[in-house]
Amino acid sequence: MKNVEHIGIAVKNFSEANALYHKLLGVEPYKTEHVASEGVNTSFFKVGGTKIELLEGVNPESAISKFIEKRGEGIHHIAFEVEDILAEMERLKGEGFTLLNEQPKKGADNKLVCFVHPKSANGVLIELTQEIR
Ligand SMILES: CC[C@H](C(=O)O)C(=O)SCCNC(=O)CCNC(=O)[C@H](O)C(C)(C)COP(=O)(O)OP(=O)(O)OC[C@H]1O[C@@H](n2cnc3c(N)ncnc32)[C@H](O)[C@@H]1OP(=O)(O)O
Ligand SMILES: [Co+2]
């Protein structure tokens, strides 16, 4: 694992949340992106050496919609940058962590991603991200 690449925050009203985080962080999002496979709209704010990712569910089946339904808005996941996502997935499987996808999948912000079940990480949803080179 390398640095914390981003912290994902689940929000109900995407435009309001983007305006609020623009005020809070003092920067505009450098990217907004729809990720159809996850049923989410995302926006990314660069803050020092890490990023804040705001996520809105675009359909009831989206993990974000389900999360907000059940737990309300708030911190959704912590994403770590990894050098080699396949090697890291193998390592974590060997250590007994439950991965939520067999293969890396295309995420937002030009990344390959994989998720670790929150039950494997003391109640925290962990995302692995590798830059698509
Ligand atoms: C990829 C685009 C973008 C990027 O950065 O590139 C993203 O980050 S997309 C982010 C949205 N996508 C995902 O989160 C995909 C992975 N998530 C999942 O597969 C599910 O959300 C899962 C398995 C974590 C939860 O599924 P579901 O909500 O259907 O099941 P439960 O409600 O029964 O949850 C089981 C258990 O886990 C607790 N839970 C759920 N979500 C979270 C969370 N984000 N953080 C911590 N804990 C979570 C939930 O409360 C249940 O616990 P229990 O004690 O049984 O109530
Ligand atoms: Co993320």
Side-chain angles (χ1 to χ4, degrees):
M1 299 281 192
K2 292 165 69 179
N3 52 295
V4 171
E5 208 281 331
H6 65 262
I7 294 174
I9 299 174
V11 300
K12 284 180 186 165
N13 185 312
F14 197 58
S15 53
E16 284 176 13
N18 272 281
L20 187 136
Y21 273 80
H22 175 191
K23 265 189 266 179
L24 176 71
L25 304 173
V27 290
E28 303 233 17
Y30 68 89
K31 176 183 284 190
T32 57
E33 186 177 346
H34 174 66
V35 183
S37 58
E38 294 292 331
V40 295
N41 288 321
T42 65
S43 58
F44 286 89
F45 295 79
K46 205 155 177 40
V47 192
T50 192
K51 300 170 184 172
I52 293 295
E53 176 188 40
L54 299 183
L55 301 117
E56 170 192 45
V58 298
N59 62 59
E61 294 318 301
S62 159
I64 295 299
S65 305
K66 288 184 179 175
F67 176 88
I68 291 178
E69 180 71 28
K70 190 165 186 182
R71 301 161 70 119
E73 293 184 306
I75 293 178
H76 180 261
H77 62 275
I78 302 175
F80 291 91
E81 184 174 2
V82 297
E83 193 58 43
D84 177 341
I85 194 165
L86 286 170
E88 200 61 20
M89 288 170 69
E90 282 311 304
R91 184 182 74 79
L92 291 175
K93 269 193 274 190
E95 297 278 12
F97 289 89
T98 303
L99 302 188
L100 291 166
N101 36 296
E102 277 301 307
Q103 291 299 322
K105 55 185 176 179
K106 177 90 173 53
D109 204 26
N110 194 45
K111 299 278 189 313
L112 286 176
V113 302
C114 173
F115 288 89
V116 180
H117 199 290
K119 291 289 184 201
S120 291
N122 294 105
V124 178
L125 178 61
I126 301 292
E127 178 184 354
L128 310 179
T129 72
Q130 178 196 303
E131 187 78 28
I132 296 173
R133 297 182 268 265

